[in-house]
Amino acid sequence: DGGITQSPKYLFRKEGQNVTLSCEQNLNHDAMYWYRQDPGQGLRLIYYSQIVNDFQKGDIAEGYSVSREKKESFPLTVTSAQKNPTAFYLCASSMSAYSNQPQHFGDGTRLSIL
Amino acid sequence: AQKVTQAQTEISVVEKEDVTLDCVYETRDTTYYLFWYKQPPSGELVFLIRRNSFDEQNEISGRYSWNFQKSTSSFNFTITASQVVDSAVYFCALSEFSGGTSYGKLTFGQGTILTVHP
C-alpha cells in the first residue's frame, strides 16, 4: 500500500542527546514536510523540502535539522539545542509544494524527555 | 499574515445528532485554498476536502457537508447524524496561492475535539 511510514512510534531522549525521526514515503511525492503538534495546538511547520537535495526552514526550525538525499526519505534530527522537544511529530508529503496540493500524513512519532 | 481560527475547542454530542464545526480564516490574497483534516486517536491526519477561493459551491459527501462563505471568511463543516467513529480532532487549514514554484504555506487552526457519545 502507498503511504508514509514514520518510525519509531515512541522515542525517548536523554539530556544532551540528538535523536533522529525517520520518515519514508512510497507515494512518489516531490514535497515533504515536518510538523510539530503540542497539546491543544495546531500543527507548526518545522522544515519542508520541495525536491531532493533541497529543504527550507519553516516557522520553528531552531534546534532541528533535516536532510533530503533521497526522494522517498526525509529524516528529522532533534538536536540538544531544542530545549523543549516533548511533542508529537508528524511527517507529510504532497505531489508538489504548490499551495493547492493536499498533504498526506504519517502516523506520527511521540517524543519525550527522560 | 494568514490566520485560521477554530473557536470551538471541544464539542460533545450524542450519536445521531448533527454537529457543525466552525472555521474562520484571514488572508490578504484573493486566491487561496482551504482544507479540512481529521485526526483520529491513531494520530495521522486524514485529508477530507480542499476548496479553492473561486469555488463557493457547497459540497456534500455522504454525511459530511461543507459551507464556504467568502463574505464571512468562513468554511464550516457539518456532520449529519453523527456516529461514534466520527470522534476525532478536526483541523481547518489555509494555503495561500504560491504561484510559480514557490511553496504555498499551510496554516492550521487549533483544532476542534469532537466526541460523539453512544
Side-chain angles (χ1 to χ4, degrees), chain B residues 34-36 47-52 54-69 74-80:
Chain B
L34 294 161
F35 302 81
W36 273 96
F47 166 69
L48 296 178
I49 190 171
R50 172 186 61 200
R51 252 302 171 256
N52 74 57
F54 296 108
D55 183 0
E56 288 193 70
Q57 256 192 328
N58 291 331
E59 179 153 343
I60 298 174
S61 176
R63 296 183 297 106
Y64 294 172
S65 62
W66 290 269
N67 182 296
F68 176 31
Q69 292 198 338
S74 66
F75 187 43
N76 297 337
F77 173 31
T78 297
I79 301 175
T80 303

Side-chain angles (χ1 to χ4, degrees), chain A residues 9 33 35 37 40-43 45 48 50 59 88 90 97-103 105-107, chain B residues 33 35 37 39 42-45 47 50 91 95-98 100-101 103-106 108-110:
Chain A
K9 200 169 178 64
Y33 314 82
Y35 291 93
Q37 184 179 14
Q41 295 192 34
L43 278 66
L45 182 67
Y48 67 96
Q50 297 186 70
D59 297 323
F88 188 53
L90 284 158
Y98 293 166
S99 51
N100 64 339
Q101 295 296 313
Q103 295 178 18
F105 287 79
D107 289 350
Chain B
Y33 301 88
F35 302 81
Y37 285 87
Q39 185 178 37
S42 52
E44 83 282 13
L45 267 73
F47 166 69
R50 172 186 61 200
F91 290 97
S95 178
E96 291 177 340
F97 178 63
S98 58
T101 57
Y103 164 62
K105 181 186 170 183
L106 195 59
F108 285 85
Q110 307 283 72

Side-chain angles (χ1 to χ4, degrees), chain A residues 74-105:
Chain A
F74 191 40
L76 173 74
T77 297
V78 184
T79 74
S80 56
Q82 173 49 246
K83 297 307 177 189
N84 183 23
T86 298
F88 188 53
Y89 291 87
L90 284 158
C91 177
S93 71
S94 60
M95 285 181 63
S96 72
Y98 293 166
S99 51
N100 64 339
Q101 295 296 313
Q103 295 178 18
H104 301 268
F105 287 79

